[in-house]
């Protein structure tokens, strides 16, 4: 009799395990469904909260007024409001124009400022030196010039040619040499 009661106990335990397995499986599914439902509800509440507040989610800070980068007695014409259109209009009427694209907060631009002043004074009779603030929010330079990866950017424009980008050290003597070489290109003559 002891053997049959043990077999009966094993049979009941086996049946309980089979009955509980789907319940455990269902609780796993319920957990996954619950997690998805919580995620969807969280997203819905977030969207509702964002939409119901209106368009001003973050405080809007007005742009600071543009401040000249170069002084009033400077030999460099400063388009500190970022008006690239006006700078290009002026450059179109000149034989040679050096454009200095800058961001007023950039350390390299601030370091280059006195060097550019020296360059402008040394080449005043040959080249018009213009500086354009490409960082000012409402300026056309910031909107139109997209390929600037680093500031400052110096480009020499000659009336009948494309711009020549200066990539040397930001020292007045080197920049003057660059301008002079661009204005007096090497001319090959026939020796015969």
């Amino acid at each position: 009799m002891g053997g049959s009661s043990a077999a009966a106990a094993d049979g009941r335990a086996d049946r309980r395990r089979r009955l509980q397995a789907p319940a455990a499986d269902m609780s796993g599914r319920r957990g996954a469904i619950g997690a998805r439902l919580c995620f969807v509800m969280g997203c819905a509440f977030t969207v509702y909260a964002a939409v119901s507040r209106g368009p001003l989610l973050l405080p809007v800070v007005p742009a600071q007024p543009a401040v000249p980068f170069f002084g009033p007695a400077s030999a460099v014409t400063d388009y500190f409001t970022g008006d690239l259109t006006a700078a290009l209009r002026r450059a179109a009427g000149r034989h040679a124009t050096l454009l200095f694209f800058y961001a007023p907060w950039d350390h390299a631009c601030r370091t280059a400022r006195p060097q550019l002043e020296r360059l402008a004074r040394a080449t005043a009779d040959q080249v018009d030196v213009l500086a354009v603030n490409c960082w000012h929010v409402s300026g056309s330079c910031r909107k139109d010039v997209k390929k600037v990866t680093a500031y400052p950017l110096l480009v020499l424009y000659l009336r009948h040619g494309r711009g020549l980008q200066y990539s040397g050290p930001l020292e007045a003597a080197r920049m003057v040499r660059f301008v002079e070489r661009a204005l007096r290109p090497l001319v090959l003559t026939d020796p015969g």
Side-chain angles (χ1 to χ4, degrees):
M1 193 100 164
S4 67
S5 71
D10 282 343
R12 281 180 276 181
D14 193 36
R15 190 181 326 144
R16 257 189 257 130
R17 263 187 264 137
R18 275 185 277 148
L19 290 174
Q20 288 175 352
D25 189 33
M26 288 300 289
S27 69
R29 287 184 190 163
R30 281 189 211 134
I33 292 171
R36 288 183 184 145
L37 183 61
C38 285
F39 176 75
V40 170
M41 294 297 289
C43 290
F45 285 127
T46 302
V47 169
Y48 174 74
V51 172
S52 66
R53 283 189 189 173
L56 300 176
L57 295 176
L58 299 173
V60 177
V61 179
Q64 296 293 322
V67 178
F69 192 65
F70 292 89
S74 175
V76 178
T77 305
D78 190 6
Y79 291 90
F80 61 91
T81 59
D83 191 0
L84 180 62
T85 308
L88 292 176
R89 229 180 287 125
R90 179 172 173 158
R94 307 283 195 255
H95 173 67
T97 304
L98 182 72
L99 279 175
F100 175 71
F101 298 98
Y102 70 92
W105 51 264
D106 185 62
H107 177 72
C109 294
R110 290 172 179 253
T111 305
R113 183 174 21 195
Q115 300 297 321
L116 199 67
E117 283 280 356
R118 289 187 193 110
L119 166 73
R121 292 189 199 296
T123 60
D125 58 333
Q126 302 170 326
V127 178
D128 197 15
V129 180
L130 311 177
V132 183
N133 180 356
C134 278
W135 198 257
H136 193 266
V137 175
S138 61
S140 62
C141 185
R142 185 169 182 170
K143 295 173 188 160
D144 297 339
V145 179
K146 304 285 186 200
K147 293 182 181 179
V148 177
T149 57
Y151 292 104
L153 175 66
L154 285 114
V155 182
L156 178 67
Y157 289 97
L158 302 174
R159 181 180 289 176
H160 302 292
R162 298 181 63 182
L164 303 170
Q165 183 175 343
Y166 176 74
S167 58
L170 297 172
E171 299 168 1
R174 299 268 183 109
M175 291 188 286
V176 168
R177 244 182 286 145
F178 166 74
V179 169
E180 288 174 348
R181 286 180 180 165
L183 294 177
R184 292 183 201 91
L186 178 64
V187 178
L188 299 176
T189 57
D190 187 22

